Amino acid sequence: MFKRLMNYLLPDFRFYAVEGDGGGADGGGDGDGDSGGAAAAPGRPEGLEESFWDPDRGEVRLDSLIKSHNDTRKSVHEKEEGIRERMMSELQSGRPDTPESYEIKELGLDNVPDGYEIKFDDDDPMIKMWRDMCFQNNSSNDQFMEGIRTWVTHGLETRVDPEAEQAKLGENGADRVQRIELLIGKHLKDQPALANALADTLQTASSIEAMEKLLEGVGESRLPDIGEGGFQGALTIDSLKEMMRDPRYSGHGRTKDKAYIAQVQAGFQKLYPGKASI
């Protein structure tokens, strides 16, 4: 009676008979004993493949599930490795065998001034760094050359034309430049490395004008006599030749002093106006 009532009220609710003293196997009696019959086995969880379910035991086949999971991971990893290897092979197909194998070819630039020759030094740290960077990024030689052209183009666009800068200083531009060079030589004659470093920064008209203001501020308001910059005694061709034997003029690399060389050139121009200096 109770079962029929509950089935009417809850038609989707299932009742299973449980074996016991108080009722038949079909659950038709209302005896006082426990219900009779065996409990139903659990069903396969939703979403679980049938191959991983053991219906006899009513449980998941863990061994099969774990093995399938590991096999799937291994297969995915192998596919990823295969894709990675193919991509690396394609990326490296145009890359030279070594960084040193990158070749600097014809630039093909239209903005190179007439008479201007562009040369490259394989020992230049910038070129070596660019070769290493291209190799690490699997770049082709064409991509390497794109970087070289960009570098050269930037250099051409930002290069300083000494004659044009000197012209900006007026008719006595050459004298003003020479004055600064002589003063550098005067104050830094015992420190050629510093003199050269300072001279390298004075490449434009504005830098010369700035240095003039600075020197005038410390009392240097006139072009010093040639002797003050390093000439000994009277200015003669012999005194100039003596200066030319100095390592600051005739040496190599860091021993050379740009300011000192300018003094010698200024001496020749003073002795021989209008003639080309040595």
Side-chain angles (χ1 to χ4, degrees):
M1 179 69 179
F2 176 78
K3 283 173 36 180
R4 287 196 294 271
L5 176 61
M6 293 304 294
N7 283 335
Y8 175 79
L9 296 174
L10 301 172
D12 293 331
F13 190 90
R14 291 186 176 183
F15 287 87
Y16 297 92
V18 180
E19 293 181 355
D21 296 331
D26 61 354
D30 293 324
D32 296 329
D34 295 332
S35 300
R44 174 165 55 91
E46 184 178 354
L48 181 70
E49 291 185 14
E50 188 173 352
S51 59
F52 300 132
W53 178 251
D54 187 337
D56 296 332
R57 295 185 176 184
E59 61 185 21
V60 178
R61 293 184 175 128
L62 287 178
D63 291 345
S64 298
L65 183 62
I66 293 172
K67 182 178 182 302
S68 175
H69 173 71
N70 290 337
D71 289 346
T72 300
R73 288 187 61 184
K74 181 179 178 181
S75 176
V76 171
H77 177 71
E78 289 175 349
K79 288 180 180 179
E80 290 177 346
E81 284 297 313
I83 294 173
R84 186 180 294 108
E85 289 177 2
R86 288 195 298 273
M87 290 179 63
M88 289 299 296
S89 178
E90 292 174 2
L91 286 171
Q92 295 175 358
S93 61
R95 187 187 73 173
D97 296 333
T98 64
E100 294 74 23
S101 299
Y102 282 104
E103 182 182 0
I104 297 180
K105 299 183 178 181
E106 182 67 30
L107 293 173
L109 299 176
D110 298 328
N111 59 336
V112 180
D114 294 337
Y116 200 86
E117 185 179 5
I118 299 174
K119 294 182 178 181
F120 297 95
D121 182 1
D122 283 340
D123 294 328
D124 187 323
M126 290 295 295
I127 292 180
K128 184 179 184 304
M129 182 185 69
W130 180 236
R131 281 192 166 109
D132 290 340
M133 187 179 298
C134 287
F135 188 79
Q136 293 170 5
N137 287 279
N138 302 306
S139 301
S140 65
N141 202 90
D142 288 342
Q143 291 170 318
F144 167 75
M145 281 304 302
E146 287 180 13
I148 293 293
R149 291 189 187 95
T150 301
W151 180 33
V152 172
T153 299
H154 176 73
L156 291 172
E157 292 174 348
T158 57
R159 74 185 182 92
V160 175
D161 184 346
E163 294 183 359
E165 294 300 315
Q166 186 171 291
K168 294 178 183 178
L169 295 172
E171 295 181 358
N172 64 337
D175 293 335
R176 292 173 66 181
V177 172
Q178 194 173 90
R179 170 179 179 257
I180 296 300
E181 292 172 341
L182 291 174
L183 287 171
I184 291 174
K186 171 186 174 182
H187 293 289
L188 298 174
K189 60 183 178 182
D190 296 327
Q191 303 178 70
L194 291 179
N196 289 337
L198 182 56
D200 287 340
T201 66
L202 302 174
Q203 302 294 321
T204 63
S206 58
S207 64
I208 293 294
E209 291 171 345
M211 182 58 71
E212 286 176 336
K213 291 289 186 183
L214 180 63
L215 291 171
E216 288 171 4
V218 295
E220 293 286 359
S221 58
R222 65 182 180 85
L223 182 66
D225 295 334
I226 198 71
E228 293 180 23
F231 291 106
Q232 301 297 323
L235 175 61
T236 65
I237 186 63
D238 290 333
S239 64
L240 288 174
K241 288 181 178 179
E242 180 65 27
M243 290 184 69
M244 292 172 67
R245 285 191 282 270
D246 190 296
R248 289 177 290 174
Y249 184 92
S250 59
H252 301 282
R254 294 186 177 181
T255 61
K256 280 194 171 184
D257 185 337
K258 293 180 181 179
Y260 187 83
I261 293 172
Q263 294 172 18
V264 177
Q265 294 173 340
F268 274 99
Q269 291 178 7
K270 189 170 183 179
L271 286 178
Y272 307 102
K275 302 291 184 180
S277 59
I278 297 176

